[in-house]
Amino acid sequence: MRRWLLAALVLLIGKLRRRRALPPGRPVREPDRRAENITFLFLLGAMAAAAAFIVVYFANPDTQFLGATLGLALVLLAGACAVAGKRVVPQIEGVKERPELGDAFEQDEVMSVIAEGGEGVTRKRFFLLAGGGAAGLVGAALLTPALSCGPEANRVLSLSPWQRGRSLVDERDEPIAAAGIVVGELVTAFPSGADKEDIASPVIVVRVRPDELDLPDDRRGWAPEGLVAYSKICTHAGCAVSEYRYPSYGPTAPGPAVVCPCHYSTFSVTEGGKRIFGPAGRALPQLPLAIDDEGYLVADGDFSGRPGPSWWGVRQ
Amino acid sequence: MTGNPQRGRELYLTGCQSCHGFAARGIPGTAPSLHGVGAASADFYLSTGRMPLDDPHAQPDRTEPAYDRQSIADLVAYIGSLGGPAVPQVDVVGGRLNLAEGQRLFTENCAACHQIVGRGGVMAGAFVPTLLEATPRQVVEAARVGPYVMPRFSEAQLSDRELASIARYVQYAKHPENPGGWALFDVGPVPEGMVAWLIGLLALVLVIRMLGRNDAP
């Protein structure tokens, strides 16, 4: 198998080399209209794809479409550069002895010689326009996402579906009975009536023995019957914190914690979501819980901090 | 196989009481009480060879069971007589089980730690065991008992039928169907990504090589 792969590789490289060794039959100075047309087409395509990226960004910012349009724009731009470099711009190299440039007349002469270098290209103006347009549009497309860091970002990121009295539901929108959660079990919950894909929506609910709890002093009453809730989104890179370890016998095993499967950030569920291991920079935000008259779980306020991955300025 | 709790008690006194105590009420800091843990827990720990454990502070790993089947049944009968859930009856051959549902539930509830084909891995502070040798009954027992640091799954979260579907998927995942290509020992996406990188990089190098061809004389 490996020998065959090697043989194929050697053949392929050999073929490339042989073709290169052929004498260049193409007259260099003759304009290649077909190559120019292809370059134009590529540049126009790159412009269209870059424009599409900007449209997609504002209309329907789906990462698949964003990636596809930007990728297409870059590929077409690269194609245009490749064709232009190989077939449109004259490929000739020469070294010519020159005396020192003494006066303005000689300088003018040199300038004209350099200008003649581009004679093989027709429609130069059009070329410049298309190239500049493509570069400008692709550049604009690359800069557009910076708008996401604007003042709107802070407002959007601080929106939270959680408030006092909002009930917790499971993924089938059924309310969650407090008594149904046993010690050692991990339950994922969402705010009723909210978008489950919102970064502030998913929470994990676990029950620990009340004597295990070691919450900060200002969070007394946040954990009725030892039920605690935390944002399910890791504060490091925004993965879903989906691993739960609860020792069946505490003294001989690691303590109760949730673990993010991406980079093993570990948060203690008995100590208010404190980070005890891994790359996350801050604790998991805790959601104050209450139990309503019918025994179902409701939120007793908003998170203790901002849910979601950390970015500049958000470390609390 | 029915066990004899009297003989189980005798085996307990020779093999288990040094950590779990004479009355099976545990020794603080060393081992938990066995009152109320149930036959399911005892069957899981003994049939997977996780108990008896040499060092009470080590993670119990799967080994060859220390007792023969009759002795395990006797010990399970004794621990069961102290109260707690019974050994579950699991029938994964039954027609109502759905392999696709089992895979979906395994993905949602188990794969984060055990990996999608159950080959295990690591988590902070513990090793996640492979499920290659787990029998359907052991899978169901582990989910209900939550051994070592594994979380528990109550019946509200996974019904008996759903759990049996998961157990069936675990049996399937021991020898998953590979529709083509190299399975890479089913260890997951890391080596597959490496292969993609190596082949993709080679292709890129060839493209660069072709682009860099110089036609000038």
Side-chain angles (χ1 to χ4, degrees):
Chain A
M1 182 67 191
R2 248 181 56 205
R3 288 165 144 245
W4 278 104
L5 275 176
L6 267 177
L9 196 67
V10 168
L11 259 175
L12 195 60
I13 290 172
K15 223 173 171 182
L16 291 179
R17 277 184 189 277
R18 216 168 343 164
R19 221 186 300 154
R20 193 175 70 165
L22 288 177
R26 180 161 55 81
V28 177
R29 281 284 163 205
E30 213 164 275
D32 188 341
R33 295 295 287 239
R34 224 178 112 238
E36 288 179 15
N37 289 340
I38 293 173
T39 311
F40 288 140
L41 277 180
F42 275 170
L43 287 175
L44 285 178
M47 278 193 259
F53 174 87
I54 297 174
V55 170
V56 166
Y57 175 82
F58 286 107
N60 174 24
D62 182 310
T63 47
Q64 307 287 325
F65 291 135
L66 287 175
T69 47
L70 191 60
L72 191 65
L74 291 174
V75 164
L76 289 171
L77 200 59
C81 290
V83 175
K86 296 202 74 71
R87 303 276 304 274
V88 178
V89 176
Q91 298 284 325
I92 197 158
E93 261 178 52
V95 180
K96 197 174 167 189
E97 289 292 328
R98 272 186 225 283
E100 287 288 309
L101 299 180
D103 59 356
F105 178 74
E106 278 183 346
Q107 282 178 16
D108 281 351
E109 201 180 38
V110 170
M111 290 310 285
S112 66
V113 168
I114 291 172
E116 278 165 18
E119 263 177 15
V121 187
T122 56
R123 299 179 287 176
K124 244 182 283 181
R125 205 174 264 275
F126 190 30
F127 239 110
L128 276 176
L129 209 67
L137 264 171
V138 171
L142 289 173
L143 288 177
T144 320
L147 287 177
S148 299
C149 300
E152 179 68 0
N154 246 353
R155 193 188 66 78
V156 172
L157 287 168
S158 61
L159 291 177
S160 170
W162 293 105
Q163 61 213 9
R164 181 163 305 205
R166 194 83 178 249
S167 62
L168 278 73
V169 296
D170 63 12
E171 68 270 21
R172 281 171 237 126
D173 286 315
E174 312 263 356
I176 297 172
I181 302 176
V182 299
V183 171
E185 177 180 44
L186 176 88
V187 172
T188 300
F190 305 89
S192 70
D195 179 9
K196 291 190 175 60
E197 295 196 358
D198 188 305
I199 201 161
S201 275
V203 293
I204 46 185
V205 185
V206 299
R207 182 192 286 274
V208 297
R209 295 195 321 272
D211 62 288
E212 283 180 302
L213 273 179
D214 188 15
L215 294 178
D217 286 339
D218 56 341
R219 298 189 196 169
R220 290 193 190 287
W222 282 30
E225 298 179 9
L227 286 161
V228 283
Y230 298 98
S231 164
K232 197 187 168 93
I233 306 300
C234 182
T235 55
H236 170 230
C239 293
V241 178
S242 52
E243 299 185 348
Y244 181 42
R245 69 168 197 223
Y246 186 84
S248 47
Y249 185 59
T252 59
V258 284
V259 182
C260 176
C262 287
H263 308 100
Y264 296 106
S265 284
T266 305
F267 305 92
S268 167
V269 294
T270 53
E271 296 167 273
K274 192 178 87 175
R275 182 198 70 100
I276 49 179
F277 181 79
R282 59 194 177 101
L284 271 187
Q286 185 176 358
L287 185 74
L289 285 183
I291 300 172
D292 70 8
D293 300 338
E294 292 163 44
Y296 291 111
L297 284 176
V298 294
D300 198 27
D302 199 0
F303 283 118
S304 61
R306 275 190 174 171
S310 298
W311 69 100
W312 31 257
V314 176
R315 286 243 156 221
Q316 71 275 19
Chain B
M1 190 176 294
T2 48
N4 175 357
Q6 252 73 48
R7 181 163 179 269
R9 169 73 185 164
E10 283 162 27
L11 288 167
Y12 174 87
L13 288 177
T14 50
C16 321
Q17 69 132 350
S18 62
C19 292
H20 288 285
F22 181 76
R25 294 207 174 270
I27 294 175
T30 304
S33 164
L34 298 181
H35 287 257
V37 299
S41 183
D43 185 60
F44 174 81
Y45 277 105
L46 291 165
S47 70
T48 59
R50 285 184 163 84
M51 290 288 155
L53 185 62
D54 295 338
D55 172 7
H57 291 272
Q59 172 170 356
D61 287 328
R62 190 182 186 106
T63 52
E64 276 298 304
Y67 298 98
D68 61 43
R69 291 181 59 175
Q70 183 60 53
S71 302
I72 290 176
D74 295 340
L75 275 162
V76 167
Y78 167 61
I79 302 299
S81 72
L82 304 175
V87 175
Q89 296 301 316
V90 187
D91 177 18
V92 292
V93 197
R96 292 196 302 133
L97 297 182
N98 186 336
L99 186 59
E101 187 197 26
Q103 182 184 34
R104 183 180 62 77
L105 292 165
F106 189 89
T107 311
E108 284 175 11
N109 296 287
C110 321
C113 298
H114 285 285
Q115 203 250 77
I116 183 61
V117 277
R119 297 302 189 268
V122 290
M123 74 118 53
F127 290 99
V128 181
T130 166
L131 304 181
L132 270 174
E133 293 168 68
T135 66
R137 189 163 86 189
Q138 287 164 353
V139 171
V140 172
E141 286 168 347
R144 291 286 188 239
V145 167
Y148 196 54
V149 295
M150 177 171 154
R152 291 167 61 189
F153 295 85
S154 66
E155 279 186 49
Q157 199 166 8
L158 288 174
S159 70
D160 283 346
R161 202 185 57 79
E162 288 175 323
L163 206 45
S165 293
I166 289 179
R168 184 177 167 202
Y169 171 72
V170 171
Q171 299 312 301
Y172 161 83
K174 291 176 181 178
H175 307 284
E177 279 170 35
N178 286 307
W182 184 17
L184 290 164
F185 320 110
D186 301 311
V187 289
V190 173
E192 287 161 21
M194 286 297 290
V195 168
W197 268 100
L198 291 176
I199 292 175
L201 273 183
L202 200 66
L204 276 178
V205 167
L206 284 175
V207 168
I208 291 165
R209 185 90 181 80
M210 286 157 79
L211 276 176
R213 198 149 49 91
N214 189 351
D215 281 341

